[in-house]
Amino acid sequence: MSAANVEAVPLARLAEAYGTPLYVYSRAALRQAYGALKEALLPFDPLICYAVKANGNLSIIREFAELGAGADVVSEGEIKRALAAGVDAGKIIFSGVGKSRHAMEEAAVAGIYQFNVESIPELHLLNAVGREQGRKLPIALRVNPDVDPRTHAKIATGHKESKFGIEMTQIGLALDAVRGLPHVDLCGLAVHIGSQLTELEPFDLAFATVAGLVRDWRAAGFDIRRLDIGGGIGIRYRDESLIDLSAYAGLIGKHFGKLDLRLALEPGRFLVGPAGILLSRVMIVKPGVAKNFLIIDAAMNDLIRPAMYDAWHDIVPVNAPPGAATENWEVVGPVCETGDLFGHDRPLPAPAPGDLVAILSAGAYGASMSSTYNARTLVPEVMVDGDQFALIRRPVGIEEQIAWDVAPVWSR
Ligand code: LLP
């Protein structure tokens, strides 16, 4: 496999124009992923709230907003990004296990669609914010259904040992608390059991629990009219079997079809992951006794997923002659950590300094988790649309980074 272009734009041209490392996104792929999800779920007409954490670039959020999406946000910063990108406040869901009071206030003033509440103390805090502002805030309780999502341990959230959601055994207490809080309106239930799910069964188990809770809460007198089924739909990084969207829709119909609920979901990775690559250049070819190292100019600060989750990303040459013989390479970055590694024993055809390589499926949790570690430039991003391209985040270089630091008053 090799990758020469994104849409109709040669990667070599982008590398020349902007340098490397560089994130490159296909606008068509963003729209196509959104369209596929919307199409599969058409019978339910859900509110699709793009999970901004996957990639918070304003141009990407805006792309989905223009298609009708809302946003799932987890911080004041993400609320501001979503609003700045043109998302309707009335389509914003505020998730997260530790929302600051200030962020709650901002979200309440903006008039967001819903707060997903994850603990009893948070209920009291939100009620206080509502009282102060003279509002009744729409909330859903995020429950933890205690289901193993069968994904990487660091991105599993739906099992009872996880910090997320209200444990099944504490739901009664949470409902009792809600009854005494006049400034929150419990209108829904939310669930998100993990990310990069590749099997339907965990969803099936979680949805069954959730449907039971909707019935129970209604029987207990709560006017439950909304359901947020979270994100988590996996994408193909290597050879994963994928969730079939029509089967996913079938599950939704099976569990919730008769419950008359306004459905929302919070996909992140599914919408942006496949649309992005990280483009990089070979710096140094360093053959060794035990391993051959290919040192490229992208590093763990640009894409941390391999270092953090042992994640696989395909690494392909740009413009390699078809059928060229390959050797195996440890593809690593220049950062001073052994964990700064993109892949072991990757077959690449006779690489030479200056060659371009593309790290695939890097649109989600790539740029959004990037940093300036090792005082490296914060990685820029480009969007391609047909034969056009545009910078959508400029690089933040070292001069600007040095200016972030402030000398303590005693040394000025
Ligand atoms: N909703 C909630 C409440 C979440 O916590 C998340 C992701 C999503 C939605 C979106 O999930 P998605 O559709 O993208 O799977 N950095 C990790 C992934 C962390 C996911 C955190 N929560 C990675 O690179 O794999």
Side-chain angles (χ1 to χ4, degrees), residues 88-335:
D88 276 352
K91 293 182 177 176
I92 293 179
I93 291 178
F94 191 4
S95 301
V97 70
K99 304 173 186 75
S100 75
R101 182 177 179 129
H102 194 255
M104 289 176 177
E105 288 166 358
E106 294 274 309
V109 167
I112 67 163
Y113 179 71
Q114 174 175 300
F115 294 84
N116 287 354
V117 175
E118 303 212 19
S119 65
I120 294 173
E122 191 188 336
L123 276 175
H124 289 280
L125 203 53
L126 262 178
N127 186 65
V129 169
R131 185 189 319 117
E132 223 168 69
Q133 298 188 3
R135 297 172 208 265
K136 198 166 171 108
L137 302 174
I139 66 163
L141 294 183
R142 174 173 174 185
V143 298
N144 179 326
D146 191 20
V147 166
D148 175 4
R150 300 201 214 129
T151 183
H152 190 281
K154 286 188 185 160
I155 54 175
T157 54
H159 53 301
K160 66 174 182 292
E161 295 81 8
S162 118
K163 69 179 175 184
F164 295 100
I166 297 177
E167 271 190 53
M168 295 299 285
T169 53
Q170 293 185 7
I171 287 175
L173 285 174
L175 292 179
D176 287 347
V178 169
R179 282 185 223 279
L181 300 173
H183 294 283
V184 295
D185 169 22
L186 175 58
C187 55
L189 201 152
V191 68
H192 171 81
I193 56 174
S195 195
Q196 183 56 15
L197 270 69
T198 55
E199 294 168 87
L200 267 184
E201 205 197 340
F203 281 120
D204 198 12
L205 295 172
F207 289 177
T209 300
V210 164
L213 292 173
V214 170
R215 292 191 178 91
D216 292 351
W217 297 6
R218 282 178 172 170
F222 294 98
D223 181 15
I224 303 301
R225 40 200 199 277
R226 299 177 179 179
L227 175 65
D228 174 357
I229 56 172
I233 304 168
I235 63 169
R236 183 165 290 132
Y237 287 103
R238 189 176 189 180
D239 51 9
E240 299 88 343
S241 61
L242 293 187
I243 285 175
D244 173 56
L245 289 184
S246 58
Y248 179 68
L251 266 193
I252 295 171
K254 173 176 114 178
H255 292 291
F256 310 123
K258 297 206 176 88
L259 287 179
D260 190 24
L261 290 158
R262 172 89 171 104
L263 191 74
L265 62 161
E266 307 167 347
R269 186 189 318 264
F270 179 84
L271 295 180
V272 282
I277 64 157
L278 177 57
L279 182 62
S280 180
R281 236 184 238 290
V282 174
M283 297 174 77
I284 289 179
V285 179
K286 187 181 174 189
V289 178
K291 296 279 182 190
N292 296 322
F293 293 97
L294 200 63
I295 301 161
I296 63 173
D297 65 2
M300 63 190 289
N301 68 300
D302 305 309
L303 174 66
I304 205 168
R305 303 193 68 258
M308 192 153 173
Y309 316 108
D310 294 315
W312 176 282
H313 286 262
D314 278 333
I315 303 169
V316 299
V318 174
N319 297 327
T326 60
E327 289 165 281
N328 284 350
W329 296 89
E330 298 288 288
V331 181
V332 301
V335 156

